[in-house]
Amino acid sequence: MKTLIRQGTIVTAQEEFVGDILVEDEKITAIGQNLSAEADQVVDATGLYVLPGGVDQHVHFSFTYKTARVRGFETSNAAVVGGTTTVIEFVNQEPGKGIAESIKHYEQQEVLGTAMADYSFHGIVFEATDAVFEEIPSLPEAGIPTLKLFMAYKGFPYHCDDEAIFRALKASKGTGVTIMVHAENADVIDVLQKECLSRGQTEPYYHAVSRPPFVEVEATQRAINLAILAEAPLYVVHVSAKEAMEAIRDANTKGYPIYGETCPHYLTLDTENLAKPDFEGAKYVCSPALRSEEHREALWQAVNKGWLNAVSSDHCGFDWKEQKHLGFGDFTSIPNGAPGLENRLGVLWTQGVETGKITRSKLVDLFATTPARVNGIDHCKGHIGLGYDADLVLYNPNHHSKISWQTSLQGVDFNTYEGMEQIGRPEKVFLRGKLVVDEGKYIGEKGQGKFISGKPFGLSYQGV
Ligand code: URP
Ligand code: ZN
Ligand code: ZN
């Protein structure tokens, strides 16, 4: 099957130019001007931007918070309709099982036959045992070069202390495995939460009060110090505070392989959302908490300068009526996390490109190219180039819409960006050469997604 995509403006992380792309079966086989190949179908992309399919390196299709569990891979078509063709899911370590074994089991039970986007995985440490640390060097053999530990969430089964973080970092040294951390000081949050509750401060807004920026800054700085001590790379997920970003930037500037990402909600939304009446504020309960304009502006500067190198959704499909309401009367029981898988490209384009905060090439870098590299899947994903998977988004910049949960495929009863104007949309999306979105509508099949094996050394220890 040959598809010729003609006269689109092709955007990569380095450049943009008008040209043609030839796709043969699943791969890009030619890029150029006026390609004359015989094709089974010709797509006129005049006036459209052709972007590489997005790589969302921070997705939760299996996260649990107390008794609540997010929507799973049956909603992964939301990624595709939003221009993300590869998702990287954080998989829970199962009791008594190793990391790779837990991931294999999860894939067999919940992903195979269901996934509608291509996918890769990160492990999550639940049981910080010798066996887990001993397993770390062999994770790349299973195509898993990344492992996350939660410094936050005291009392939850996935909380890890400094000993676990440090041992994981030490075990990863020289192996090509990247340790990722959710950096917030769990003990301080616990004290502040209890103080709020004892004063009768139970509403969603107190989620932010009990998680001020410095609980994130302190933990980020600590994780950086532990990584430097262990001589290992570190990736800090969902950075939201200016000073946490600056700590990462400064360590990186000194030559340490310390990196981080942020998320669309930290770039565009405000703490004040948590104060919305009638428990609406619960929709914005995610960790770290939403911040103020000062932090948002610093984050835009950071993504523009490359101080944070990716923008990920941190998608969590908890619904509001049932699941967020588990925390009615006690904000600490509101499931943490916000949906956003479908909106990453639209929000970045509208709030970033259209406002002049970032260029289209920078968007591609943050949305696809660098996350592919960080996770070792850049041999086939995240770029428009010869031999790459034909994951292509034809973005129509002239379409105007309003974001709404009612038109979303995320499968939850609210949208984090409800009512936000969106400029442009993915008009067509190809997943490995197959048309899966047409005229902005998902037309793919259940189970079409395939596992993409990650290679080690996405972050290498250069020069230190
Ligand atoms: O609030 C959040 N971010 N929930 C998802 C789990 C995590 O902490 O990444
Ligand atoms: Zn987290
Ligand atoms: Zn997360």
Side-chain angles (χ1 to χ4, degrees):
M1 172 77 174
K2 286 188 185 178
T3 303
L4 183 61
I5 300 170
R6 295 203 60 246
Q7 291 301 293
T9 301
I10 298 163
V11 188
T12 71
Q14 293 79 34
E15 57 179 344
E16 62 177 66
F17 55 92
V18 174
D20 303 344
I21 298 174
L22 181 66
V23 174
E24 291 185 55
D25 299 325
E26 298 196 340
K27 298 284 183 186
I28 297 170
T29 55
I31 302 171
Q33 304 299 329
N34 304 314
L35 294 181
S36 60
E38 291 287 314
D40 302 295
Q41 56 171 337
V42 178
V43 176
D44 180 9
T46 307
L48 304 177
Y49 290 99
V50 186
L51 317 175
V55 176
D56 194 339
Q57 66 178 359
H58 192 151
V59 169
H60 298 281
F61 284 135
S62 53
F63 182 64
T64 56
Y65 188 94
K66 297 192 177 177
T67 56
R69 192 178 201 263
V70 291
R71 301 288 176 280
F73 263 91
E74 72 281 0
T75 58
S76 54
N77 51 350
V80 178
V81 84
T84 291
T85 45
T86 306
V87 295
I88 310 187
E89 156 73 354
F90 287 96
V91 181
N92 304 326
Q93 182 189 0
E94 293 179 23
K97 286 202 171 86
I99 301 294
E101 191 188 357
S102 300
I103 290 174
K104 193 95 225 126
H105 186 232
Y106 171 71
E107 184 186 20
Q108 273 159 2
Q109 293 295 305
E110 305 200 30
V111 186
L112 289 174
T114 302
M116 288 169 270
D118 282 357
Y119 56 90
S120 200
F121 298 117
H122 315 281
I124 304 180
V125 174
F126 274 55
E127 295 174 352
T129 57
D130 289 350
V132 163
F133 301 122
E134 282 159 18
E135 188 188 356
I136 288 175
S138 68
L139 285 175
E141 289 162 26
I144 317 291
T146 48
L147 182 67
K148 180 162 85 166
L149 292 89
F150 285 98
M151 299 168 84
Y153 302 122
K154 183 170 176 162
F156 284 69
Y158 34 82
H159 169 69
C160 287
D161 61 14
D162 286 356
E163 180 186 347
I165 308 287
F166 188 52
R167 289 187 70 189
L169 285 162
K170 278 175 76 71
S172 74
K173 178 183 173 181
T175 66
V177 172
T178 298
I179 298 299
M180 299 179 147
V181 290
H182 171 141
E184 286 187 297
N185 185 316
D187 288 319
V188 173
I189 292 168
D190 190 54
V191 170
L192 297 178
Q193 285 179 332
K194 285 178 177 147
E195 279 178 10
C196 286
L197 292 177
S198 71
R199 291 192 290 257
Q201 296 169 329
T202 60
E203 296 88 8
Y205 186 73
Y206 294 97
H207 174 75
V209 173
S210 62
R211 299 179 109 96
F214 271 84
V215 301
E216 180 188 348
V217 177
E218 185 281 325
T220 303
Q221 191 65 70
R222 183 158 34 102
I224 291 170
N225 289 337
L226 296 177
I228 292 172
L229 202 55
E231 298 180 6
L234 175 72
Y235 201 88
V236 184
V237 299
H238 53 40
V239 176
S240 73
K242 176 174 183 274
E243 296 83 356
M245 173 275 286
E246 288 169 347
I248 294 163
R249 177 198 65 190
D250 293 349
N252 192 273
T253 305
K254 285 183 193 145
Y256 296 108
I258 311 284
Y259 298 88
E261 61 168 14
T262 189
C263 312
H265 42 286
Y266 297 124
L267 290 164
T268 59
L269 302 179
D270 201 274
T271 319
E272 289 311 306
N273 284 288
L274 286 142
K276 287 192 178 174
D278 302 324
F279 205 60
E280 293 270 331
K283 296 175 178 173
Y284 305 92
V285 167
C286 59
S287 293
L290 297 178
R291 307 287 183 212
S292 63
E293 189 178 354
E294 183 200 355
H295 295 276
R296 286 201 304 281
E297 289 311 313
L299 293 177
W300 276 115
Q301 187 188 22
V303 293
N304 215 358
K305 300 261 191 195
W307 300 335
L308 296 176
N309 67 14
V311 178
S312 315
S313 69
D314 194 6
H315 174 80
C316 271
F318 289 119
D319 71 16
W320 180 68
K321 276 202 194 86
E322 299 289 330
Q323 294 177 306
K324 291 279 185 180
H325 272 79
L326 293 168
F328 190 79
D330 173 1
F331 70 87
T332 67
S333 292
I334 300 171
N336 282 207
L341 179 68
E342 188 173 327
N343 308 110
R344 194 169 61 111
L345 176 55
V347 170
L348 272 178
W349 187 282
T350 306
Q351 304 284 332
V353 171
E354 292 287 340
T355 59
K357 287 190 164 90
I358 54 172
T359 63
R360 288 183 283 272
S361 282
K362 178 52 83 174
L363 180 148
V364 164
D365 188 24
L366 297 163
F367 174 73
T369 311
T370 291
R373 180 174 55 75
V374 167
N375 296 283
I377 57 170
D378 53 334
H379 51 284
C380 58
K381 300 293 185 188
H383 179 59
I384 298 177
L386 298 184
Y388 277 77
D389 283 358
D391 296 343
L392 299 167
V393 178
L394 274 52
Y395 198 81
N396 174 1
N398 296 316
H399 189 270
H400 289 256
S401 59
K402 259 197 182 149
I403 296 176
S404 169
W405 70 271
Q406 281 163 310
T407 50
S408 164
L409 298 179
Q410 291 179 154
V412 288
D413 59 0
F414 73 99
N415 191 296
T416 312
Y417 307 98
E418 189 71 31
M420 191 182 273
E421 301 283 344
Q422 181 176 307
I423 303 177
R425 73 169 180 190
E427 200 66 34
K428 292 183 192 293
V429 177
F430 293 86
L431 174 65
R432 281 178 282 107
K434 181 179 165 208
L435 186 67
V436 289
V437 172
D438 198 16
E439 295 182 11
K441 301 268 177 304
Y442 180 74
I443 57 162
E445 283 164 30
K446 219 174 156 214
Q448 72 197 0
K450 83 168 195 198
F451 175 64
I452 307 298
S453 185
K455 296 193 191 320
F457 295 102
L459 304 182
S460 54
Y461 212 94
Q462 291 157 340
V464 178

